Amino acid sequence: DAGVIQSPRHEVTEMGQEVTLRCKPISGHDYLFWYRQTMMRGLELLIYFNNNVPIDDSGMPEDRFSAKMPNASFSTLKIQPSEPRDSAVYFCASSLDPGGDGYTFGSGTRLTVV
Amino acid sequence: QKEVEQNSGPLSVPEGAIASLNCTYSDRVSQSFFWYRQYSGKSPELIMSIYSNGDKEDGRFTAQLNKASQYVSLLIRDSQPSDSATYLCAVKVAAGNKLTFGGGTRVLVKP
């Protein structure tokens, strides 16, 4: 298995631009999670899906952030418009239902908004 | 109070010594506990899980759980320079399937 695949690995964009991060979970995993990691705040859960349905989006910081999971093998996290404070590493993770063994993380997308 | 708390470190240990990491959590109904290791610039990787009070050993790693005191710890025996990383404690409550992570403890193993 190729694991959780995220793209791009690095993204540099100007303030105000739209940014789309992509994730392909491990085949057969029913849960998909989007996390953000910064030095100040650590690893924060933004949103998670179960069987492609958003279950908890309470961690999404504001309306500029949106996430979709159109099918079991693909999810996107979109920031529009982007701001410098959105600079962070964004991780996607997936797990089996009920995820008793924790998650498998993707390699992350390092986002820099200038 | 943060839901999951860890000392940020760095915890400096000599090669061959035991590294002891602690984690406390606030939600009494938490059921599952995990330790992840994260090398600089890499993603977190699962190294241990523990669900019941007591000790669980896996190679050089031992996880310890005390639900009454709401803490979980990780011991790394015979520490190696390759163990130098940030160790993240994660907690999952019974309802739902999301992990809450602590801020991580940075461990430095010096040759």
Side-chain angles (χ1 to χ4, degrees), chain A residues 9 31 33 35 37 43 45 48 56 58 91 95-96 98-103 105-107 110, chain B residues 2 32 34 36 38 41-46 49 51 88 92 96-103:
Chain A
R9 289 296 307 274
Y31 287 83
F33 308 83
Y35 279 86
Q37 188 174 40
L43 204 54
L45 177 66
Y48 80 94
D56 185 347
S58 59
F91 287 106
S95 74
L96 284 168
D101 292 326
Y103 304 166
F105 282 83
S107 299
R110 181 174 294 278
Chain B
K2 291 183 179 179
S32 306
F34 305 88
Y36 284 78
Q38 186 175 25
K42 302 294 185 182
S43 59
E45 55 178 335
L46 180 67
S49 59
Y51 308 101
L88 300 165
K92 185 164 80 76
N97 191 40
K98 59 180 182 179
L99 292 183
T100 299
F101 286 83

Side-chain angles (χ1 to χ4, degrees), chain A residues 3-105:
Chain A
V4 177
I5 300 173
Q6 290 187 247
S7 65
R9 289 296 307 274
H10 302 276
E11 177 81 35
V12 180
T13 190
E14 291 186 348
M15 183 174 63
Q17 296 298 306
E18 177 180 296
V19 175
T20 299
L21 312 180
R22 297 174 176 79
C23 176
K24 176 179 169 56
I26 292 174
S27 177
H29 280 192
D30 295 326
Y31 287 83
L32 183 139
F33 308 83
W34 282 101
Y35 279 86
R36 176 173 68 176
Q37 188 174 40
T38 62
M39 288 294 292
M40 289 295 293
R41 300 175 68 88
L43 204 54
E44 304 174 280
L45 177 66
L46 300 177
I47 184 171
Y48 80 94
F49 296 83
N50 177 213
N51 292 321
N52 313 335
V53 176
I55 303 300
D56 185 347
D57 65 354
S58 59
M60 297 285 263
E62 46 197 277
D63 291 345
R64 297 185 297 107
F65 286 70
S66 62
K68 295 181 179 180
M69 192 166 185
N71 57 63
S73 60
F74 184 67
S75 177
T76 60
L77 177 67
K78 186 177 293 186
I79 308 172
Q80 167 64 22
S82 57
E83 297 183 2
R85 59 194 169 119
D86 301 330
S87 297
V89 179
Y90 291 81
F91 287 106
C92 175
S94 69
S95 74
L96 284 168
D97 182 9
D101 292 326
Y103 304 166
T104 301
F105 282 83

Side-chain angles (χ1 to χ4, degrees), chain B residues 43-63:
Chain B
S43 59
E45 55 178 335
L46 180 67
I47 54 172
M48 289 285 290
S49 59
I50 187 166
Y51 308 101
S52 303
N53 281 328
D55 295 0
K56 179 181 178 182
E57 187 174 315
D58 184 359
R60 296 185 296 109
F61 298 99
T62 298

